[in-house]
Amino acid sequence: METKIQELARQAKQSSYQLATLSTEVKNDVLNSLRKNLINHSENLLVANKKDLNYAKDQDQSSAFIDRLTLNHDRIIAMADALTTIIELEDPNQRILESQTISNGLILEKTSTPLGVIAMIYESRPNVTIDAAALCFKSGNAVILKGGKEAIHSNRALHRVIVEALKEHSLSEVCVQFIDHTERAATHALLQQVDFIDVVIPRGGKNLIKAITEQSQLPVIKHLDGICHIYIDQAADMDMAEQIIINAKCQRPGVCNAMETLLIHQDIAKKVLPRFVEMLKEQGVRLKGCEQSCKIISNLEQASEEDWSTEYLDLILSIKIVKNTNAAIHHINYYGSGHSDSIVTEDKGCAEQFLQQVDSAAVYHNASTRFTDGEVFGKGAEIGISTDKLHARGPVGLKELTSYKYLIRGTGQIRD
Amino acid sequence: METKIQELARQAKQSSYQLATLSTEVKNDVLNSLRKNLINHSENLLVANKKDLNYAKDQDQSSAFIDRLTLNHDRIIAMADALTTIIELEDPNQRILESQTISNGLILEKTSTPLGVIAMIYESRPNVTIDAAALCFKSGNAVILKGGKEAIHSNRALHRVIVEALKEHSLSEVCVQFIDHTERAATHALLQQVDFIDVVIPRGGKNLIKAITEQSQLPVIKHLDGICHIYIDQAADMDMAEQIIINAKCQRPGVCNAMETLLIHQDIAKKVLPRFVEMLKEQGVRLKGCEQSCKIISNLEQASEEDWSTEYLDLILSIKIVKNTNAAIHHINYYGSGHSDSIVTEDKGCAEQFLQQVDSAAVYHNASTRFTDGEVFGKGAEIGISTDKLHARGPVGLKELTSYKYLIRGTGQIRD
């Protein structure tokens, strides 16, 4: 197994040099073929997906799981549409990021380049196969895809469509590699290929990401959980606060930029908490309060220490009353996941303090945390939202899939 | 031990929030105090250093090792001067990297921020203690210093001077932590602190960096070896080629941007190789040639496969004759370390191909590889030269010690 994975990674590295110099036009042509082929092969894809679905049902998987795994005509069209978006995006390579002429006449250009080879390790959503392949390809990177075993038939069929598109344009199929093994040993072997893989991007639950980070000898761009906070300051506009709270918690509770903990300034808690509780209960939200909240609201379920670092991804919310903005910031930096946090206040000083001191990828003033995504942030499409601080933070789009190098043009300069 | 290291890392994390919002003025004041204190405490520093030197001599360390370890008045002044340079550099934080107003009125600013906590692990040069502390501090990061056991007395004394400067400005000493343990277990414990440390930067020999990368649960900015190449194309200006070869190999052979392998186009090899060999031998360079080179030059030592991936850091050079520019690029991407490589040619097409396809941090046309450093590249000072592609590539200066975050200012926006 290890030899096989190594060979596959070596081939990917080899192909990455060719990919790095491919013109934007050729890349878009390939993506366009892929878009057409997806539609043309819909029936095959649905047949393959059916096998995965049958197996999942035999295994008594949850309906949410089966929903994530399911392909249908609409979803295939959505994958094709995502490709149209990626085709329209600017090529992130060959951008001149800095340029200077050194006193001895050397001309130095810092230019964006692909990263090289990206390993994508993900779970049951088959659309990630197409999205990841397309984003890596458009950014000039070779990619090695390792999907979840539950989606192996779907992913294999999708990969065949990708290979067909590559071949139509005389490109080697090793540009987009697919690991057709479901054993964990395959993932482990992949994570040791320091000579051939430049970065691994895991997508999925916290356990997957933790396991990969622990095993990996490769750099990882992590997408951990989104424990997002809204802090309602004493100087908040309460109508605005209510709208933001409902939006951040209820509009789509299963996503990483939804609120998990509500923080409230102690001086307004008595007044506003009953109103918030009523409003959230009306929306079907289960509430868990700190000790002080439970004193204000009788019958409120008490939050445990663990709640403050729990990503519910559900209609559940923890509520904590804090002394002031400092305490809110401290709570967020201590318990949060560095994803998205927001302050609601009319006090500009407090707002600026919060914006500067909260150590998260996206920090908001008077807005819902739900805006953190690649499309809103002008990236067009994203491969995920990084909770790391190195290289890419927040939405990871095409630009974040590039590195850079320095090109230095001289006329015979030597160093004194 | 592990508890102690964890506590120290936790304190560093705590202090990093304070550091992140420190004004440039205060940071420069601290660095200025440090500069003065270094000079004032020269005698103490030399006494401490003497202890390390005596121990090194007892251990029969090489003269090169003892030279790296040695402090003297001139070197203390050089450390102080390096601080003057860092004081003059622009603060890399709070730079607005991108700014946009989204259609719903949200104002989104991508702003540079410190990384947080940086662990610096290095070997015997005591000046790294001051350089690393100053660069991390100026970039708003907390730092944890772990120097080599051979320099423990010198580093301890230098750290005391740093703490004094911090205290003069009422800053906590935990901003610049020093691991006063020489056991390997301390390093291992440090490398597990995922909750408190954001990145580890190892400086030193290949073995140190390899060991750290393998053990680390933290992201690493690697500074591996510099296996740098000069490729002499058939269309090279030969006078220029000679000057660049001598400069890249001989001007300072012990540094990472010195040439280790010379590649020559086969069509000119017979003509130019004898001249190159004579010239390099005059400079005392030991030469190792490929099979073809050995046919041209009798008595030339033959290079082994291992030579192509060896960083000599000495007056030794491997020479290989290649078929063409493609073969040169292939050799560099296969055997090189992604540091600095150069082509000498008057053929602009070949030069551009080389610049685009060589996958290294710095790629040169008609210039010596010796220019790759932070000062030449306009960074003022550097903490090292990254051979990674993620986050920082090439010279790592103040800007490369920052991350970024998105600040989003709204007026009550919620997501549809």
Side-chain angles (χ1 to χ4, degrees):
Chain A
M1 169 71 77
E2 214 181 309
T3 324
K4 241 170 139 176
I5 299 288
Q6 188 179 29
E7 178 53 20
L8 182 146
R10 198 192 59 73
Q11 289 175 345
K13 188 71 178 179
Q14 230 15 66
S15 77
S16 75
Y17 300 120
Q18 185 194 3
L19 274 172
T21 53
L22 224 53
S23 73
T24 309
E25 202 187 342
V26 171
K27 288 189 284 193
N28 284 342
D29 287 348
V30 172
L31 294 174
N32 207 24
S33 295
L34 175 56
R35 189 183 62 74
K36 286 181 197 157
N37 296 351
L38 273 177
I39 306 290
N40 293 340
H41 293 301
S42 294
E43 292 311 322
N44 291 341
L45 294 172
L46 295 179
V47 169
N49 185 241
K50 192 84 190 162
K51 284 187 200 166
D52 290 328
L53 289 173
N54 287 341
Y55 185 76
K57 283 167 195 161
D58 284 351
Q59 298 284 307
D60 273 334
Q61 294 283 9
S62 71
S63 59
F65 182 94
I66 287 172
D67 179 59
R68 284 198 294 273
L69 184 60
T70 301
L71 288 183
N72 54 37
H73 278 288
D74 282 354
R75 287 187 178 181
I76 290 173
I77 288 170
M79 284 196 278
D81 288 347
L83 291 173
T84 307
T85 305
I86 294 170
I87 289 167
E88 284 165 1
L89 292 174
E90 207 187 322
D91 193 323
N93 290 305
Q94 306 269 6
R95 284 173 296 137
I96 296 175
L97 306 171
E98 283 171 28
S99 176
Q100 54 175 312
T101 304
I102 299 169
S103 59
N104 63 5
L106 280 178
I107 298 165
L108 190 141
E109 270 179 10
K110 181 177 170 181
T111 309
S112 65
T113 64
L115 286 166
V117 179
I118 298 173
M120 274 298 301
I121 301 178
Y122 50 103
E123 291 183 329
S124 59
R125 286 182 203 270
N127 67 306
V128 175
T129 302
I130 297 298
D131 281 359
L135 285 165
C136 292
F137 184 77
K138 175 86 183 222
S139 54
N141 294 290
V143 64
I144 301 174
L145 302 166
K146 169 82 179 65
K149 64 173 187 297
E150 306 81 5
I152 186 77
H153 297 97
S154 312
N155 289 338
R156 194 182 286 150
L158 288 164
H159 181 248
R160 249 184 255 125
V161 181
I162 296 170
V163 167
E164 189 185 324
L166 288 167
K167 288 191 169 168
E168 274 177 42
H169 299 272
S170 308
L171 288 168
S172 164
E173 59 188 292
V174 300
C175 298
V176 180
Q177 296 273 28
F178 173 67
I179 300 209
D180 202 349
H181 299 277
T182 54
E183 303 93 314
R184 276 172 195 229
T187 304
H188 185 80
L190 197 63
L191 295 173
Q192 313 309 313
Q193 304 305 322
V194 287
D195 289 335
F196 304 124
I197 303 178
D198 294 286
V199 58
V200 52
I201 305 183
R203 289 297 314 274
K206 203 175 174 171
N207 290 337
L208 172 83
I209 290 162
K210 207 165 162 266
I212 284 174
T213 307
E214 280 171 10
Q215 282 178 60
S216 184
Q217 288 297 313
L218 308 167
V220 180
I221 296 181
K222 281 193 287 294
H223 299 70
L224 279 170
D225 36 7
I227 302 171
C228 303
H229 302 75
I230 308 271
Y231 166 55
I232 310 298
D233 182 50
Q234 63 180 141
D237 170 327
M238 285 307 148
D239 291 335
M240 188 194 289
E242 283 178 17
Q243 286 199 36
I244 289 175
I245 290 168
I246 292 293
N247 187 256
K249 182 70 251 177
C250 309
Q251 192 241 2
R252 216 178 149 195
V255 292
C256 62
N257 57 20
M259 165 174 61
E260 305 294 7
T261 301
L262 175 65
L263 302 172
I264 303 172
H265 191 291
Q266 62 176 11
D267 292 357
I268 54 163
K270 265 193 193 152
K271 188 178 157 214
V272 304
L273 188 56
R275 209 165 130 187
F276 291 166
V277 166
E278 195 190 327
M279 164 186 97
L280 285 158
K281 283 198 167 163
E282 265 173 31
Q283 300 282 333
V285 180
R286 176 179 158 198
L287 302 172
K288 297 181 171 201
C290 66
E291 212 172 309
Q292 225 180 316
S293 308
C294 291
K295 281 183 192 153
I296 298 172
I297 309 290
S298 55
N299 300 326
L300 189 60
E301 184 180 344
Q302 195 164 335
S304 68
E305 174 69 14
E306 213 190 324
D307 278 299
W308 311 123
S309 45
T310 298
E311 184 184 30
Y312 304 115
L313 294 173
D314 202 348
L315 282 176
I316 307 172
L317 179 71
S318 56
I319 301 176
K320 189 175 188 177
I321 294 167
V322 294
K323 203 177 153 193
N324 51 29
T325 306
N326 270 332
I329 293 168
H330 181 81
H331 179 98
I332 293 169
N333 286 340
Y334 190 82
Y335 292 105
S337 61
H339 195 295
S340 302
D341 303 287
S342 183
I343 182 173
V344 183
T345 187
E346 297 299 302
D347 179 334
K348 289 229 164 130
C350 273
E352 283 308 310
Q353 187 198 350
F354 188 91
L355 288 167
Q356 299 305 327
Q357 293 182 12
V358 168
D359 188 23
S360 296
V363 193
Y364 292 85
H365 172 214
N366 286 348
S368 168
T369 53
R370 288 278 297 107
F371 289 107
T372 306
D373 80 31
E375 217 177 312
V376 175
F377 281 26
K379 298 183 187 297
E382 70 183 24
I383 209 158
I385 294 173
S386 166
T387 53
D388 266 338
K389 286 202 264 182
L390 230 63
H391 188 73
R393 196 179 197 188
V396 178
L398 287 177
K399 274 189 193 173
E400 289 75 19
L401 295 178
T402 63
S403 176
Y404 58 81
K405 67 179 176 188
Y406 293 92
L407 304 182
I408 304 108
R409 295 177 174 93
T411 50
Q413 281 83 350
I414 58 172
R415 188 129 189 209
D416 297 330
Chain B
M1 169 72 75
E2 213 180 310
T3 324
K4 240 169 139 179
I5 298 288
Q6 187 179 31
E7 178 53 20
L8 181 147
R10 198 193 58 74
Q11 289 175 345
K13 188 72 178 178
Q14 231 13 68
S15 76
S16 74
Y17 301 120
Q18 184 195 3
L19 274 173
T21 54
L22 223 52
S23 73
T24 309
E25 202 188 341
V26 171
K27 289 190 283 194
N28 284 341
D29 287 348
V30 172
L31 293 175
N32 207 24
S33 295
L34 174 55
R35 189 182 63 75
K36 286 182 196 156
N37 297 352
L38 272 177
I39 306 290
N40 292 340
H41 292 302
S42 295
E43 293 310 322
N44 291 342
L45 294 172
L46 295 180
V47 168
N49 185 241
K50 193 81 191 165
K51 284 186 200 166
D52 290 328
L53 289 173
N54 288 339
Y55 185 76
K57 283 168 194 161
D58 284 350
Q59 298 284 306
D60 273 332
Q61 293 282 10
S62 70
S63 58
F65 182 93
I66 287 173
D67 178 59
R68 285 198 293 276
L69 183 61
T70 301
L71 287 183
N72 54 37
H73 278 289
D74 282 355
R75 288 187 177 181
I76 291 173
I77 288 170
M79 285 196 278
D81 288 348
L83 291 172
T84 307
T85 305
I86 294 170
I87 290 167
E88 284 165 2
L89 292 174
E90 207 186 323
D91 193 322
N93 290 304
Q94 306 270 4
R95 283 174 296 137
I96 297 174
L97 306 171
E98 284 171 27
S99 175
Q100 54 175 312
T101 303
I102 299 169
S103 59
N104 64 5
L106 280 180
I107 298 166
L108 190 140
E109 271 179 7
K110 181 177 170 181
T111 308
S112 65
T113 65
L115 287 165
V117 179
I118 298 173
M120 274 298 300
I121 302 179
Y122 49 103
E123 292 184 329
S124 59
R125 286 182 204 268
N127 66 306
V128 175
T129 302
I130 296 298
D131 282 359
L135 284 165
C136 292
F137 183 77
K138 176 86 183 225
S139 54
N141 293 290
V143 63
I144 302 174
L145 302 166
K146 169 82 178 66
K149 65 173 185 297
E150 306 81 4
I152 185 80
H153 297 98
S154 312
N155 288 339
R156 194 182 287 148
L158 287 165
H159 181 248
R160 248 183 256 126
V161 180
I162 296 169
V163 167
E164 189 184 324
L166 289 167
K167 288 191 169 168
E168 273 177 43
H169 298 273
S170 308
L171 289 167
S172 163
E173 59 188 293
V174 300
C175 298
V176 179
Q177 297 273 27
F178 174 67
I179 300 209
D180 203 349
H181 298 280
T182 56
E183 303 92 317
R184 277 173 194 228
T187 305
H188 185 81
L190 196 62
L191 296 172
Q192 313 309 312
Q193 303 305 322
V194 288
D195 288 336
F196 304 123
I197 302 178
D198 294 285
V199 59
V200 52
I201 305 183
R203 289 298 314 274
K206 203 174 174 172
N207 290 336
L208 173 83
I209 291 162
K210 206 164 163 267
I212 285 173
T213 308
E214 280 172 12
Q215 282 177 60
S216 184
Q217 288 297 313
L218 308 167
V220 179
I221 296 181
K222 280 193 288 294
H223 299 70
L224 280 171
D225 35 8
I227 302 172
C228 304
H229 302 74
I230 308 270
Y231 166 55
I232 310 298
D233 182 50
Q234 63 179 141
D237 171 326
M238 285 308 147
D239 291 334
M240 189 193 287
E242 284 179 19
Q243 286 198 35
I244 289 174
I245 289 169
I246 292 293
N247 187 256
K249 182 68 252 178
C250 308
Q251 193 241 2
R252 216 177 150 195
V255 293
C256 61
N257 57 19
M259 165 174 60
E260 306 293 8
T261 301
L262 175 64
L263 303 172
I264 303 173
H265 192 292
Q266 61 177 12
D267 291 356
I268 53 162
K270 265 193 196 153
K271 188 178 156 214
V272 303
L273 189 56
R275 209 164 129 187
F276 290 167
V277 167
E278 195 191 326
M279 167 185 95
L280 286 158
K281 282 198 167 165
E282 264 173 33
Q283 301 282 331
V285 181
R286 177 178 158 198
L287 302 172
K288 298 181 172 202
C290 67
E291 213 172 310
Q292 225 180 317
S293 308
C294 290
K295 280 183 193 155
I296 298 172
I297 309 290
S298 55
N299 302 324
L300 190 62
E301 185 180 344
Q302 194 164 335
S304 68
E305 174 68 15
E306 214 190 324
D307 278 298
W308 311 122
S309 46
T310 298
E311 184 185 29
Y312 303 114
L313 294 173
D314 203 348
L315 283 175
I316 307 173
L317 179 71
S318 56
I319 301 175
K320 191 176 187 177
I321 294 168
V322 294
K323 201 178 155 193
N324 51 28
T325 306
N326 270 332
I329 293 168
H330 182 80
H331 178 98
I332 294 169
N333 286 340
Y334 190 82
Y335 291 105
S337 61
H339 194 295
S340 302
D341 302 288
S342 183
I343 182 173
V344 182
T345 187
E346 295 301 300
D347 179 333
K348 289 229 164 132
C350 273
E352 282 309 309
Q353 187 198 349
F354 188 91
L355 288 167
Q356 298 305 327
Q357 294 183 12
V358 168
D359 188 22
S360 296
V363 193
Y364 292 85
H365 172 214
N366 287 348
S368 168
T369 51
R370 288 277 297 108
F371 289 108
T372 307
D373 81 31
E375 216 177 312
V376 174
F377 281 26
K379 296 183 187 296
E382 70 184 25
I383 210 158
I385 294 173
S386 166
T387 53
D388 267 337
K389 286 204 264 184
L390 230 64
H391 189 73
R393 195 179 198 191
V396 178
L398 287 176
K399 274 188 191 172
E400 289 75 21
L401 295 178
T402 63
S403 177
Y404 57 82
K405 67 180 177 187
Y406 294 92
L407 305 182
I408 304 108
R409 295 177 174 92
T411 50
Q413 282 83 349
I414 58 172
R415 188 130 189 207
D416 296 330

